[in-house]
Amino acid sequence: MTLKTSWVESANAADHPFPLNNLPYGVFSTDALEPRCGVAIGDMILDMSRAEEEGLVQLTEHPLFDVPFWNEVMEEGPAVWAALRERLTALLAEGAEARDRVEPLLVPMAEAELHLPCVVSEFTDFYAGRHHATNVGTMFRGAENALPPNWLHIPIGYNGRASSVVVSGTDIRRPWGQLKSPDHDKPAFLPCRRFDLELEMGAIVGTQSDGPITVDEADAHIFGYVLLNDWSARDIQAWEYQPLGPFQAKATATSISPWIVTKAALEPFRVSTPEREFELLDHLKDTGPMLYDIDLSVTLAPEGKAATVIARTNYREMYYSSAQQLAHHSTSGCPMNAGDLLGSGTISGAEKHERGSLLELSWGGKEPITLETGETRTFLEDGDTLGLHGAAQGDGYSIGFGDCLGKVLPALNDPYAR
């Protein structure tokens, strides 16, 4: 597929993340406007609340854009999603008859503040990247026991905290927690000393399911994708994770990019999951290409200094697709809701520069990385700003997500001081 041209000129640049081919969904506000749904097109945002009020977008008998989140649209299902995309394309395409009516509804992105694009119902994070799982397992258990016995048969995950999901640009406070003190034999309550990032993609569930669903049904239920940073307190995690897995180490925050890139926009970039070492059970078997060719990178900027690219990889490195993760999640019969967020798990490649966490890049702190500023890092320091960046590259166009940024603030002096 080639670039679709728009009368919004900024959308036609080959390297712009928001061409007409993309049309991602977000929530924005300005000094004059309360938070509302918007669609990114070039350097502008189409105000969906006003577009609906003006009669330019009417998909159902009841309003969908009178609320500052996309859950109402998500709950309508794939037929409405497709109709909305078709209508937006018609309104914003080069030569559109309604240009004179639409143009006054555009807001410069530079003047807007971005918010969470949806109400996150629940958050589940997976451990579904083979290179990451192998690296971490090798560090903790040795190469011969790197992958748990079940890893090649099911996508392993845990239920996280929807309440701690934040939008890009939100500062992240270094957490306190109980950890095995390096200075004592017994545990201590201290600020995290090994704070880390995890480069992930997040899939947003669009329609509800009340029982087990197939992989194909799960794929149809996914509304779109975001970049996701699952901030991780590695020293807290190392002390608490046995036998039930991550808990407080993962509860500080999870940052997501501000724009939901729809599954339809990513359709031309589908790729297959890797070759299987063991055949999956029928309810998890691959039914076609369900991963995406999305280039990803991580930047780290010390306070007041330039950013360094510390990792580059691709979403196609995942072992399980989001559709397989969602299908597996549903097998117990647990309801899946519109707005559920599924983290892919850390995305790492085979090479060192493709590792999606500092835990891997510094090999557990033993091999510090050097930034372009000359400074070194094993884990995150106060004042560091982490950035996740991603785009799918088409023929003369790019499908971007908007950056996923977060700055690390110092831990509180004493969270229990009264």
Side-chain angles (χ1 to χ4, degrees):
M1 184 180 292
T2 58
L3 174 71
K4 297 178 181 179
T5 55
S6 170
W7 54 263
V8 181
E9 287 298 326
S10 59
N12 298 327
D15 59 349
H16 200 289
F18 306 130
L20 188 62
N21 303 64
N22 193 349
L23 299 177
Y25 303 148
V27 170
F28 75 100
S29 64
T30 67
D31 291 342
L33 298 172
E34 294 293 320
R36 65 211 29 237
C37 292
V39 175
I41 178 71
D43 294 332
M44 309 297 284
I45 302 173
L46 174 60
D47 185 334
M48 293 302 296
S49 177
R50 293 183 61 197
E52 188 173 61
E53 290 172 357
E54 297 288 333
L56 288 165
V57 177
Q58 290 182 318
L59 303 173
T60 61
E61 294 180 358
H62 54 276
L64 294 176
F65 298 106
D66 57 345
V67 290
F69 43 79
W70 282 83
N71 299 60
E72 299 288 324
V73 175
M74 292 154 59
E75 291 172 357
E76 293 295 328
V80 169
W81 305 348
L84 173 59
R85 184 172 175 81
E86 182 179 356
R87 179 58 177 159
L88 290 170
T89 300
L91 292 174
L92 295 167
E94 187 175 34
E97 294 181 2
R99 174 176 177 174
D100 289 345
R101 296 178 62 196
V102 175
E103 199 160 12
L105 309 184
L106 295 180
V107 176
M109 198 170 292
E111 299 176 7
E113 178 183 354
L114 300 179
H115 307 273
L116 279 175
C118 65
V119 177
V120 178
S121 300
E122 298 192 50
F123 171 51
T124 302
D125 195 40
F126 286 87
Y127 185 56
R130 183 165 187 174
H131 295 296
H132 172 71
T134 300
N135 288 338
V136 174
T138 299
M139 276 185 266
F140 292 161
R141 295 182 296 274
E144 66 282 358
N145 297 308
L147 293 178
N150 60 351
W151 200 94
L152 294 170
H153 300 275
I154 58 171
I156 298 172
Y158 69 93
N159 288 314
R161 293 287 302 172
S163 62
S164 61
V165 177
V166 296
V167 73
S168 170
T170 304
D171 292 338
I172 308 300
R173 179 75 65 179
R174 181 181 296 274
W176 284 70
Q178 184 178 127
L179 49 91
K180 185 70 177 294
S181 173
D183 307 320
H184 304 88
D185 291 334
K186 62 182 181 179
F189 186 69
L190 298 167
C192 169
R193 299 176 180 182
R194 294 162 70 91
F195 202 37
D196 200 1
L197 75 133
E198 288 192 345
L199 167 62
E200 303 190 23
M201 294 292 297
I204 297 177
V205 178
T207 49
Q208 183 176 354
S209 59
D210 294 320
I213 56 177
T214 68
V215 171
D216 283 331
E217 289 169 338
D219 188 56
H221 281 226
I222 294 173
F223 182 63
Y225 292 82
V226 293
L227 303 176
L228 186 150
N229 183 355
D230 188 34
W231 302 87
S232 300
R234 299 300 187 186
D235 42 6
I236 298 171
Q237 182 178 356
W239 176 244
E240 75 176 5
Y241 84 102
Q242 297 186 53
L244 295 181
F247 184 43
Q248 291 301 89
K250 300 282 192 170
T252 298
T254 298
S255 300
I256 64 171
S257 52
W259 298 102
I260 301 172
V261 175
T262 64
K263 193 175 57 180
L266 293 172
E267 200 64 30
F269 306 98
R270 282 187 180 262
V271 292
S272 298
T273 49
E275 199 171 314
R276 301 294 177 193
E277 191 167 326
F278 297 101
E279 187 175 7
L280 298 176
L281 297 183
D282 288 346
H283 70 287
L284 286 178
K285 280 184 179 177
D286 302 277
T287 60
M290 288 190 180
L291 287 177
Y292 299 96
D293 182 2
I294 302 172
D295 291 328
L296 300 166
S297 64
V298 181
T299 57
L300 192 159
E303 189 159 23
K305 298 180 181 178
T308 298
V309 177
I310 62 172
R312 294 186 187 276
T313 187
N314 192 290
Y315 184 45
R316 69 189 306 159
E317 294 287 351
M318 298 307 296
Y319 195 77
Y320 296 100
S321 68
S322 293
Q324 288 167 316
Q325 292 171 344
L326 178 55
H328 176 62
H329 207 329
S330 75
T331 55
S332 66
C334 71
M336 304 302 296
N337 301 308
D340 281 354
L341 175 64
L342 307 181
S344 64
T346 304
I347 306 167
S348 296
E351 303 297 325
K352 182 173 182 178
H353 71 275
E354 297 175 317
R355 297 173 182 172
S357 68
L358 280 169
L359 177 67
E360 297 168 87
L361 287 166
S362 72
W363 206 249
K366 297 177 182 178
E367 302 173 7
I369 63 170
T370 301
L371 307 179
E372 291 180 4
T373 60
E375 299 171 67
T376 61
R377 290 290 186 277
T378 52
F379 293 95
L380 298 173
E381 296 187 6
D382 295 343
D384 287 348
T385 295
L386 257 294
L388 307 185
H389 318 274
Q393 303 298 330
D395 182 8
Y397 71 98
S398 178
I399 300 293
F401 292 78
D403 297 335
C404 182
L405 304 174
K407 180 179 179 179
V408 179
L409 301 182
L412 297 172
N413 290 333
D414 184 344
Y416 292 111
R418 299 291 187 266

